[in-house]
Amino acid sequence: MGVSDMQSNGNANEGFSFRSCVFRRKQVDSLRVSSHSGGQTQQLAKILSVVDIIAIGVGATIGAGVYILVGTVAREQTGPALTVSFFIAGIAAALSAFCYAELVCRCPSAGSAYHYTYICIGEGAAWLVGWALILEYTIGGSAIARGLTPNLALFFGGQDNLPSYLARHSIPGLGIVVDPCAAVLILVVTLLLCIGIKESSFAQTVVTTVNVFGMLFIIIVGGYLAFKTEWIGYELPSGYFPFGVNGMLAGSAVVFFSFIGFDVVASTAEEVKNPQRDLPLGIGVALSICCILYMLVSVVIVGLVPYYALDPDTPISSAFASHGMQWAVYIITTGAVTALCASLMGSLLPQPRMFMAMARDGLLPSFFSDINARTQVPVKSTVIIGILAAALAFFMDVSQLAGMVSVGTLLAFTSVAVSVLVLRYVPPNEVPLQPSLQQLIDSPSLQFNSDSQEIVYQNPKGSHSNYDLSQHLLDNIGTSIGCMLLRKHMAQGEHNEQKRRKIAAWNIALVCVGVFVLASAASVENIPSILRFTLCTVGGAIFLCSLIVLACLAQDNARHSFGHSGGFVCPFVPFLPVACILVNTYLLVNLGAGTWFRVSIWLLIGALVYLFYGRTHSSLKNAVYVPTAHADEIYRTSSDLLA
C-alpha cells in the first residue's frame, strides 16, 4: 500500500466518528516534534537535579498519610493493623513505580499518566485519566490544606484561640464547616509556585528536611516511650485485626493517598536535566524513604495509644501528650506543618502541568498552555488551579476528599501498567503526521513504485552470443525466483507479526476484564455465595489464561526504538504490570459506593467536556497516520528542505 493510500484511509478512519476519536494515539513528545510544530510549543525550564526530584517526591508524599489519616483510618478501619495497610499500599505503589520508571524514561514530558495513556492506549482513555488526575491533585491539595488548620492551631493554644478570620465556622442550616485558613495557605503556596520551579523546589527541600527530622524524632522518642509502657496499644482483647481483613484492605485503599509522590515526580519530567538517569532514581529513592518512614511511625503510634483513643485530627501530637510529653507537641507540630506544606506544594505543582499538556494536545483551551517567559512556568494555569483548590478547601471536609483522591491515583496507576503491556507487546507502529508536513506525503522520494521492484529482462548492449543470452536469461530467472521467495517470506513474516499483535492486544484486554470480574466478585459481600464463587472462577480463569498467553508470546522488537532510548526497563513483564493492575483494581472496588458516586459525577462532567470540546479541538483531528519508518523519512525530507 502506498503512502497516498494510507493518507486516504487515515482520513476516512480519523474523521469525526466517536470511535476513531477515542482510540487515536499521539506520538511521543520530543524535540523533533517540537521543532516541526511551528514554534508553538513552549518548553519548560530544564533545571531540576536528582536531589530536587527526591525532595519533591518525599515532600509530596509525606504529609496527610501520617499527620491526618493515621488517626481516622486506625479508628474506623484497621485498628493496630495500620502498619499492614501501609505495607500493602506501599507494595501496590512499588509495582506502579516500576511501570512509571520505564515510561518516564521513554516519554519524558509533562502530563505523567495522561501522556503515557495518550501514546499507548488512546485519546479517550487519556482524557479520563487526565481528568481523574485533575481531581487527584486539586482535591489532594485541598485535603492537605484542610489538615493544616488544626496543626497550626496548636501554636495558638487550640482552634478556639485562632483569629476569627482564620478559624473554622459552621454555616447554620447547611452543616458545612468552612476553613478560611486552608484557603489562605493554598493561595500562599500558589504564589510561591508562580515564582519559578527552582525557587519552589528549593523551598520544598528545606521544609522536607525539617519534616524528615521530625519523623525521626517521632520514631526514636515514640519507640522509647512505647517500650516503657510495654506497647499498650497492641494488648487489646479485640486482637490485631479488630475490623477484619476487609477493614485492613479498605484502610490500604484509603492510605494509598499517601503514596502519590512519585506520580508528582513523573509530572516534572520535562524540567529534569537528565530524565533517563535521574527520574527512575528519584522515584525509587523517594518511595523507599516514604514507605519505611510510614511503617515505622504507624508501628509507634498505634503502640503508644489504643487505636480507639487516637485523635482523628492530631493523632501523633495527642499520643505524645497523653504520656505527659507536652514539650514534644511543639516539635511534632512543627514537623507536621512543614510536612503538610511540602505535600501541599507537591499536590499543586503537577496540576498546572497537566492542564498545560492537555491544552497542548488541543483537549483544553490554549490559554492553559501559556508559559511565562520570565519564570518559565505556566503561571496562568497555576493561578486558576490555586483559586479552585482554595475554594474546595474552604468548603469541603477532608474525610470525603481522601477517597476521591485515591480513585484518581489508582486509575492513573492502572493505566500506566496497561501502557507498559501495550508498549512491550503492541507498541504503536504508526504515528500521526503534523499538519504542516502532510504535503510531503506525496513527495517523489516517498512513493513506492511497484515497477521498481520488478526484474527487467534486457539483453546487455553489445552481446550477441546465444550462450551469453541463455546464461543471462537463466541468471534473471534465478534472481526472479529468489525475489519471489523473499517477498513471500516477508509477506508471511508480516502476516505472522500482525497475528501476534492481534493475539497480544486481545489478551491484554482480557487480562483487564478478568481482573475486574475477579476483584469485583471478591469484594462484594451482599451477593449469594454460589454467584460469588462462579464469578470468581470465571474471572480467575480469564485472568490466568490471558496471562499465560501473554507470557508465552514474544515481545515486539519495535519496543526497543520506541520513544527516547536508554533508561530504566521494567522487569518481569507481563507479571509485574499485571500484578499492579490486579492490586490497584482490588483497591479501587473497595473504596465504597459513596466515593464512587461522587467520582462518577466528576467523570461524567469530564466525558461531556471531551464530547463537546476536546474531541473536536484535538490536535489529532485532521492527523494522517503513517508507518514510523515513513514518518522518519518525511521528517528527514522536511529537514533537508528547511536547510
Side-chain angles (χ1 to χ4, degrees):
M1 179 184 291
V3 181
S4 298
D5 296 330
M6 280 183 260
Q7 181 181 10
S8 61
N9 290 342
N11 287 335
N13 294 331
E14 292 300 325
F16 288 97
S17 67
F18 185 74
R19 182 178 181 276
S20 64
C21 293
V22 168
F23 290 103
R24 59 192 176 193
R25 298 187 287 190
K26 64 179 288 187
Q27 188 180 6
V28 177
D29 289 344
S30 64
L31 294 177
R32 184 184 71 180
V33 176
S34 300
S35 63
H36 289 277
S37 61
Q40 298 176 354
T41 302
Q42 298 171 292
Q43 299 295 316
L44 300 171
K46 286 185 172 291
I47 56 178
L48 295 180
S49 64
V50 67
V51 175
D52 297 321
I53 295 171
I54 294 173
I56 291 174
V58 175
T61 303
I62 295 178
V66 170
Y67 295 102
I68 298 177
L69 294 181
V70 164
T72 303
V73 174
R75 283 169 57 97
E76 300 177 1
Q77 292 172 310
T78 67
L82 177 64
T83 305
V84 181
S85 294
F86 271 113
F87 178 70
I88 293 175
I91 290 176
L95 296 176
S96 299
F98 280 115
C99 299
Y100 264 95
E102 174 168 349
L103 291 174
V104 81
C105 292
R106 296 293 187 93
C107 318
S109 181
S112 185
Y114 157 79
H115 182 59
Y116 314 142
T117 308
Y118 205 159
I119 294 168
C120 297
I121 301 177
E123 185 176 278
W127 169 262
L128 289 180
V129 169
W131 196 251
L133 285 173
I134 291 172
L135 180 74
E136 171 191 332
Y137 295 138
T138 307
I139 300 296
S142 302
I144 294 166
R146 191 126 183 154
L148 262 166
T149 301
N151 285 279
L152 283 174
L154 293 177
F155 289 113
F156 295 88
Q159 296 193 47
D160 295 336
N161 296 324
L162 276 175
S164 59
Y165 55 87
L166 293 179
R168 291 178 176 176
H169 301 281
S170 297
I171 299 179
L174 297 179
I176 297 176
V177 179
V178 297
D179 194 337
C181 183
V184 171
L185 288 170
I186 288 180
L187 295 178
V188 171
V189 172
T190 300
L191 179 62
L192 176 62
L193 293 175
C194 289
I195 297 175
I197 183 64
K198 193 63 178 178
E199 290 77 7
S200 58
S201 65
F202 174 76
Q204 194 159 31
T205 301
V206 173
V207 295
T208 299
T209 302
V210 176
N211 173 30
V212 170
F213 278 108
M215 301 264 301
L216 293 175
F217 173 83
I218 294 170
I219 294 168
I220 295 172
V221 178
Y224 172 74
L225 289 176
F227 273 112
K228 286 183 62 177
T229 57
E230 297 182 350
W231 301 93
I232 58 174
Y234 293 104
E235 297 178 358
L236 300 174
S238 56
Y240 194 72
F241 295 93
F243 299 95
V245 175
N246 286 336
M248 181 266 295
L249 293 175
S252 297
V254 176
V255 300
F256 204 89
F257 164 60
S258 310
F259 290 94
I260 64 173
F262 62 87
D263 184 67
V264 175
V265 170
S267 69
T268 64
E270 195 172 313
E271 297 160 281
V272 179
K273 295 177 182 177
N274 189 349
Q276 276 73 28
R277 182 197 67 185
D278 294 346
L279 284 170
L281 180 61
I283 290 174
V285 172
L287 182 61
S288 299
I289 292 174
C290 295
C291 189
I292 292 171
L293 290 177
Y294 277 147
M295 293 180 64
L296 291 176
V297 169
S298 61
V299 166
V300 170
I301 295 305
V302 296
L304 278 175
V305 179
Y307 69 91
Y308 51 79
L310 287 171
D311 189 312
D313 288 327
T314 56
I316 298 178
S317 300
S318 61
F320 275 80
S322 66
H323 288 271
M325 296 186 63
Q326 296 292 342
W327 58 271
V329 173
Y330 295 99
I331 298 177
I332 297 169
T333 302
T334 301
V337 170
T338 55
L340 291 169
C341 286
S343 187
L344 178 60
M345 284 190 284
S347 294
L348 297 179
L349 173 67
Q351 174 71 302
R353 286 148 182 82
M354 179 64 61
F355 269 70
M356 181 191 69
M358 300 174 81
R360 283 177 176 176
D361 296 327
L363 304 183
L364 288 176
S366 59
F367 169 85
F368 293 104
S369 64
D370 292 341
I371 296 178
N372 186 275
R374 186 177 63 85
T375 62
Q376 292 185 281
V377 296
V379 172
K380 295 178 182 178
S381 297
T382 303
V383 172
I384 292 175
I385 295 304
I387 294 174
L388 176 61
L392 290 174
F394 186 77
F395 288 107
M396 296 188 71
D397 183 73
V398 66
S399 62
Q400 299 175 348
L401 302 177
M404 296 175 69
V405 172
S406 296
V407 170
T409 304
L410 292 167
L411 284 177
F413 288 0
T414 303
S415 69
V416 167
V418 175
S419 297
V420 170
L421 292 177
V422 172
L423 170 60
R424 293 299 188 89
Y425 289 97
V426 282
N429 55 4
E430 292 183 340
V431 295
L433 196 63
Q434 298 292 324
S436 61
L437 299 178
Q438 291 179 14
Q439 60 183 350
L440 297 176
I441 289 180
D442 294 319
S443 174
S445 62
L446 298 174
Q447 297 306 302
F448 294 88
N449 189 347
S450 60
D451 295 338
S452 64
Q453 305 294 331
E454 296 177 357
I455 303 298
V456 179
Y457 301 99
Q458 291 182 340
N459 186 22
K461 184 177 180 180
S463 176
H464 303 285
S465 169
N466 290 332
Y467 172 80
D468 292 340
L469 179 60
S470 300
Q471 185 65 39
H472 180 68
L473 289 174
L474 289 173
D475 292 342
N476 279 336
I477 291 173
T479 304
S480 178
I481 293 174
C483 290
M484 291 174 61
L485 292 174
L486 180 60
R487 289 178 186 174
K488 183 178 180 180
H489 178 73
M490 292 176 63
Q492 183 65 33
E494 183 177 353
H495 174 73
N496 292 337
E497 175 61 16
Q498 291 298 326
K499 184 178 179 181
R500 186 204 62 80
R501 287 175 63 90
K502 184 177 295 186
I503 293 174
W506 273 106
N507 279 276
I508 291 173
L510 287 174
V511 162
C512 297
V513 172
V515 165
F516 179 76
V517 173
L518 178 62
S520 300
S523 302
V524 179
E525 297 181 352
N526 299 324
I527 60 174
S529 300
I530 297 178
L531 179 59
R532 173 186 288 186
F533 178 78
T534 302
L535 291 175
C536 286
T537 302
V538 173
I542 296 174
F543 165 69
L544 289 176
C545 292
S546 302
L547 178 59
I548 291 172
V549 172
L550 280 178
C552 294
L553 284 176
Q555 296 184 20
D556 199 308
N557 290 327
R559 72 186 189 277
H560 298 296
S561 58
F562 178 85
H564 295 251
S565 60
F568 182 83
V569 176
C570 181
F572 308 115
V573 176
F575 302 104
L576 191 148
V578 169
C580 176
I581 296 171
L582 178 62
V583 172
N584 291 331
T585 303
Y586 188 82
L587 293 175
L588 272 171
V589 298
N590 276 282
L591 286 176
T595 296
W596 272 110
F597 176 76
R598 290 187 290 269
V599 172
S600 297
I601 295 175
W602 174 256
L603 294 179
L604 178 60
I605 294 173
L608 294 175
V609 172
Y610 173 74
L611 182 64
F612 292 104
Y613 183 87
R615 181 177 64 92
T616 57
H617 290 78
S618 171
S619 60
L620 300 182
K621 184 179 69 171
N622 297 318
V624 175
Y625 285 78
V626 298
T628 304
H630 301 162
D632 293 337
E633 181 63 28
I634 290 172
Y635 280 112
R636 283 195 295 269
T637 303
S638 174
S639 300
D640 294 339
L641 292 176
L642 292 175

